[in-house]
Amino acid sequence: VQDVFSIKGRGTVVTGIVEVGVVTKGMTLEIHSQSGVTQTMVDGVEMFRKVTEQAVAGDNVGLLLRNVPPDTLKRGDILRGIG
């Protein structure tokens, strides 16, 4: 996670680079932070203000996350795909 934003009426967006694999809309992720591990779902994937269905390793993305308060995430946290 490089940065965290809260979009009123939509949810929490995190930005960063996909380091390994593929991230798709609807995918379940684990959030690994100092406060522990929680699960969330990807509601949207954007690259350079364009909505896409997936992002692959090396892409700089913004991920809209479901049911995650923005104050629970910070720079350096890790998102990991489940399955």
Side-chain angles (χ1 to χ4, degrees), residues 6-22:
S6 178
I7 299 177
K8 191 173 185 175
R10 291 286 292 157
T12 301
V13 174
V14 296
T15 62
I17 297 174
V18 179
E19 292 187 5
V20 177
V22 177

Side-chain angles (χ1 to χ4, degrees), residues 31-75:
I31 301 169
H32 294 263
S33 65
Q34 287 185 340
S35 59
V37 178
T38 57
Q39 287 188 1
T40 186
M41 183 177 277
V42 178
D43 276 344
V45 179
E46 280 192 24
M47 288 189 293
F48 301 103
R49 300 183 191 251
K50 293 183 182 179
V51 177
T52 68
E53 290 296 315
Q54 71 175 13
V56 297
D59 289 343
N60 196 351
V61 298
L63 301 176
L64 178 63
L65 303 178
R66 180 181 293 177
N67 299 326
V68 177
D71 58 348
T72 61
L73 292 165
K74 64 181 180 184
R75 183 180 177 96

